[in-house]
Structures are given as C-alpha cells and as structure tokens.
Amino acid sequence: MPEFVNFIGGRWVAPETGRTRPNVNPADTADVIGEFAESGGVDVESAVEAACAAQQGWHDLGPIRRAEYLREAWRLLDQRGEEFARAITREQGKLLSEARGEVQRSLAVLDFTTGEARRLNGVTTPAEEPRTWAFTFRRPIGVVGLITPWNFPLAIPMWKVAPALLAGCPAVFKPSPLTPLTAELLTQVFADAGLPPGVLNLVQGDRPVGEALVAHDAVAGISFTGSVPVGTAIQRAGAHRLLKTQLELGGKNAVVVLDDADLEVAVDAIVKGAFGQAGQRCSATSRVVADSRILDELVDRLAARVSAMRVGPGTDPASDICPVVNEDRLQACLAAVARAQDDGAKVVCGGNAAPDLPDGYYVEPTVLRDVPWDAEIAQEEVFGPVLSVIAADGFDDAMRIANSVRYGMSGTICTRDQSRIFAALDRFEAGMLHVNRPGVGAYAHLPHVGSKQSQHGPPECSPQVWDFYTEWRSACISY
C-alpha cells in the first residue's frame, strides 16, 4: 500500500504523529488508493515556520517575477491534465468528463491569476501640500492558511493557492482528508515549477490540522471553503486576534421557473444544476420554485429526464450521475428524503440507494414535489442528488420563497419576460445570478461569491480576491 506524506520547507516528510489514514475510491470501496498522512499540531508548526522563513525572499521578488513560477505551473498542469482528471475521479467520484472540466477550470483560474501580476497596482492622487507625491500600493498580508473541501479537490485549491502565491503570501495548504491525492499532485506541480522552499507547504490531515492553523499567531489569514458551522468556528477562534478570514460556506440555491418560461430550457438548466457531480456543489440547484400554473407539466418533464439518468462509476462513459463521496453522505441524503416525506413531500422519482451498485456510495437522483417552502429539506443543505419542487403563486411569491433561506450562494430565473429578469436580478439575495441557464459557478475572472451566510470576507477568483491576500498602504513623499 503506497504511503503519502507532507510537503514542508521544500521536502516530502512523514508526519510527526506517525499516523496515516486510508483513502478509498467512492465508486468501488475495495479500491484503496493509499495511506495518507494524518498530521497534527507539530506538523503545522513546522510548516508555518518554513513559510515564515520564506516570506521575505518571496515578497522581495515582486509579482512579475512570482508570476513566472505560476506560468510554469500552468504548463505542467496542462501537460499532466489527464493524470489529474483520473485522480480526481478515483478519489472524489465525479464523472471523468466532470473531472476534465475541473482541470480546465483550474487552468483558467491559473491563467487569469498569472495575468494579474502587472495589475496589482494602486493609484496616485493629488496631495494637499505643494511638492508632495501621494499614492497607494498593496502589500501581502503574510503567511496564509488555505483549508479546502473535497468536492472540487483541484479547482478550489487552485483559486486559493494561485492568488496567495502571486500576492506574495507563503501558504500552508490543508486539503480535505477525503481527497488528499489531488492535493499531493497539485503541490508536486508547484514544486516542479521551481517554487522556493517554504513558499507552499502541504499538511495532510483532519480537524487538528485546521485548528492548529487557525490558532497560530504567525498565520495572518485563513481562506476556508466548507460548511457554515466550521466557518463560524474559524471566525470565533480567530476573533481575539482579529484574524483575517475569507469564508465560502453553504448554499440552498433556487431556480425560479415562471409561467412564461421555456420549459425545455428550464428542465435542462435544473437537471444540470441539480445532478451534476451528484449535487455536491455549494452552488448546486437544490430547490425549484415553480409557478403553480406550470408546476405539473414541469414536474412531469423533470421526472421523465431524471428517471432516465444512469447512476454509475465516474469512469464509465454511460454514467450520468456519479457516486456521493462516502457512506456518511449517502446516509445523509437518504435521511433527508425520509424526513421530507414526514413533512408532506412526495417522491416523484428516486429516493433510495442505487440497488444494483453495492460496492460504492450511489444514490438515485431524486425529485420531491409538494415540498412546503419552510420544510427542513427546503431550508437546509443536503449536498447530494436530491431536488425539491416548491409551488409559488406568481413572481412575487416565488422571489419570497427563493430568498427565504439563510444562504445566498446562487440564484436562477427562467422566464422570457425581460422586465421580470431584471427585477429578479435586483431582488435575489444571492451572490451569483443566472438567467435561463444552469445556476452553478462563475467564470475565472468573475467573483465567486455568496451573500448572507454563504460568504464572509472578499470574493474568490476575480480581481476582488486581492482584497483578501493584500492590504493597502498609502504614502506621501515631500521633495
């Protein structure tokens, strides 16, 4: 059984704990990928020390020189793209086509970030006194901790690692223990790109690693993607020292379908948004809020499309839906469907573990109707292939229901009415908005951002990301 270790100070080193944990393929639990480091606080201390030692030299290079390392990393990632895609599918479970798409998204993020090297600028401004220059500039905040989830094991680390490094912030990278292989491959890409020792450090492990990172006084900022409870715990733990945080948290995203919508367009948007990657995305569609006048026809069309979808391994080209990531996620999906039925919802299709796939974590794609707008399943994340259909009495009621949750990651409307399109864009309480298209994600140069409890701190991707990794300075020079 291969064993995988940490990367600290430019060297691959075993964890001080001496412990490892197995990494299992969710499509075939007999396939154990390897044993990965189960690190602790001592490993974090070593990684932070290495990052601190590298900080001044990395800062002094400046962004244009730092971008040269990112450009070489882009070349290596592009060259190794298929290796990454197959690793993602093997340890996370998503369809190989989805994994290849994630590689392309990561390349786009890295390409965009590299191009920002010549735009990390400030402004010159008039001074109040004569013979005086006044101007502003950005400075890196220092060592950062990057804590990433399992659902996008390459793209989300990339949109943290790349801007951190370009900004001049040495990083300690803690990936999810469910997807450690992709994190190792990504770290190797940057090592092979010639990154100086200590600029990027990888510490594998679970909660103790994250807690040690958040608690370390030399860590200037934490960028975290994950659940609301963990995000708020990070915020509380760092509050006493005013730790800078960037928290991208949960979502309970709605597609509003109005009575004039093209239902084929709507169904296509809903299915791609709800069941891509088995619904395991913070921006996944988990609610359809449909005008009651077209609800029955919409549900019939959805049922026909979803019932025909094939659940299977991500490596099988015939698969439409991949497994969920582990047993806990499988049981959470089934339990959520059972509680929804107790609240009055009716199962239109799915609702069970896939009966003919016993060796992995497979959930049938599920559509529920007659879901009360305030039921638990309409308010809380399921993070699986489970879609709730909720009836609305016209546009105003649909917008009220769409905004009735504590989250605000993504919002979508399907309609032909331009007036209601722009009214919806104005009224959605969500960060990423879509019209007549799947409501997931954003381009590499647009902010990946939520509102309400979906987001705290500056957005990711986009030029706005520099508001996390850098801080402003203003200067006045008399001459």
Side-chain angles (χ1 to χ4, degrees):
M1 183 65 62
E3 290 194 5
F4 299 85
V5 296
N6 296 323
F7 188 74
I8 297 175
R11 298 186 302 117
W12 292 101
V13 294
E16 290 291 334
T17 61
R19 297 197 304 271
T20 61
R21 72 156 64 192
N23 183 23
V24 175
N25 183 344
D28 178 5
T29 55
D31 177 21
V32 181
I33 298 164
E35 294 282 340
F36 287 80
E38 187 67 23
S39 308
V42 175
D43 302 290
V44 171
E45 181 68 34
S46 298
V48 173
E49 286 179 3
C52 289
Q55 184 174 349
Q56 190 61 52
W58 189 240
H59 171 272
D60 290 347
L61 280 180
I64 294 173
R65 288 283 308 282
R66 293 194 290 263
E68 294 174 6
Y69 293 94
L70 271 64
R71 193 171 293 112
E72 176 62 9
W74 186 97
R75 186 187 70 79
L76 294 171
L77 177 58
D78 185 48
Q79 186 180 84
R80 303 173 189 178
E82 187 64 15
E83 178 188 6
F84 271 89
R86 292 189 176 277
I88 291 167
T89 291
R90 188 180 178 200
E91 70 173 352
Q92 195 275 338
K94 67 180 66 177
L95 303 181
L96 191 55
S97 60
E98 294 172 330
R100 288 169 177 151
E102 182 173 349
V103 172
Q104 292 306 309
R105 174 70 185 275
S106 303
L107 286 166
V109 168
L110 186 51
D111 181 55
F112 166 78
T113 306
T114 302
E116 286 287 282
R118 296 177 185 273
R119 289 187 285 271
L120 280 179
N121 49 17
V123 297
T124 56
T125 184
E128 294 180 4
E129 298 89 5
R131 298 176 61 81
T132 302
W133 277 86
F135 61 96
T136 65
F137 60 96
R138 292 181 182 268
R139 186 181 184 281
I141 63 171
V143 173
V144 292
L146 311 177
I147 303 175
T148 62
W150 49 262
N151 58 332
F152 285 94
L154 178 61
I156 292 178
M158 183 61 82
W159 73 52
K160 297 180 190 295
V161 170
L165 299 189
L166 189 74
C169 300
V172 179
F173 168 31
K174 189 213 94 65
S176 167
L178 296 178
T179 51
L181 176 60
T182 308
E184 163 143 332
L185 295 175
L186 176 60
T187 303
Q188 188 65 61
V189 159
F190 280 100
D192 291 346
L195 211 62
V199 172
L200 178 62
N201 305 276
L202 170 69
V203 183
Q204 303 273 18
D206 208 342
R207 180 173 176 172
V209 175
E211 289 178 338
L213 263 179
V214 172
H216 203 296
D217 287 341
V219 174
I222 293 287
S223 180
F224 167 79
T225 300
S227 70
V228 170
V230 176
T232 53
I234 289 171
Q235 189 71 9
R236 286 195 300 268
H240 72 284
R241 62 185 185 92
L242 302 179
L243 174 69
K244 193 170 186 180
T245 56
Q246 179 188 50
L247 310 174
E248 193 237 294
L249 307 174
K252 192 65 184 174
N253 310 297
V255 172
V256 171
V257 183
L258 298 182
D259 58 344
D260 68 329
D262 181 325
L263 294 189
E264 276 305 299
V265 169
V267 167
D268 191 56
I270 292 164
V271 170
K272 289 179 180 176
F275 301 111
Q277 205 170 299
Q280 298 171 114
R281 296 182 287 203
C282 63
S283 58
T285 298
S286 60
R287 295 179 297 153
V288 173
V289 182
D291 190 296
S292 57
R293 286 166 287 194
I294 51 89
L295 186 144
D296 288 339
E297 183 181 355
L298 178 67
V299 169
D300 288 345
R301 293 186 184 218
L302 275 173
R305 178 82 70 87
V306 174
S307 297
M309 299 180 83
R310 183 179 183 274
V311 183
T315 52
D316 185 347
S319 297
D320 299 305
I321 297 210
C322 66
V324 293
V325 74
N326 61 11
E327 178 71 21
D328 288 346
R329 189 94 318 270
L330 184 150
Q331 294 302 329
C333 291
L334 300 182
V337 171
R339 291 194 300 272
Q341 291 175 281
D342 292 340
D343 288 336
K346 295 182 177 64
V347 175
V348 176
C349 58
N352 302 296
D356 54 342
L357 295 163
D359 298 324
Y361 308 119
Y362 297 95
V363 179
E364 295 175 338
T366 301
V367 177
L368 302 168
R369 65 168 296 163
D370 300 341
V371 177
W373 69 268
D374 57 352
E376 177 190 346
I377 202 164
Q379 294 290 311
E380 299 299 332
E381 278 193 297
V382 177
F383 225 65
V386 179
L387 177 68
S388 298
V389 181
I390 305 166
D393 185 17
F395 174 71
D396 289 334
D397 191 41
M399 294 307 301
R400 175 192 66 81
I401 294 169
N403 292 332
S404 68
V405 297
R406 59 178 173 144
Y407 303 101
M409 184 61 70
S410 175
T412 302
I413 187 164
C414 294
T415 178
R416 294 183 174 97
D417 187 327
Q418 290 192 20
S419 175
R420 294 196 289 189
I421 286 173
F422 285 98
L425 294 177
D426 183 54
R427 290 169 62 175
F428 265 125
E429 296 171 0
M432 295 180 288
L433 306 178
H434 303 268
V435 178
N436 296 324
R437 66 189 303 273
V440 290
Y443 300 129
H445 55 285
L446 290 178
H448 193 287
V449 64
S451 67
K452 300 198 283 191
Q453 291 191 30
S454 290
Q455 181 83 32
H456 179 81
E460 303 204 71
C461 307
S462 75
Q464 287 72 37
V465 75
W466 308 121
D467 291 336
F468 176 70
Y469 292 105
T470 66
E471 54 193 11
W472 285 105
R473 297 286 189 268
S474 65
C476 297
I477 303 175
S478 294
Y479 58 91

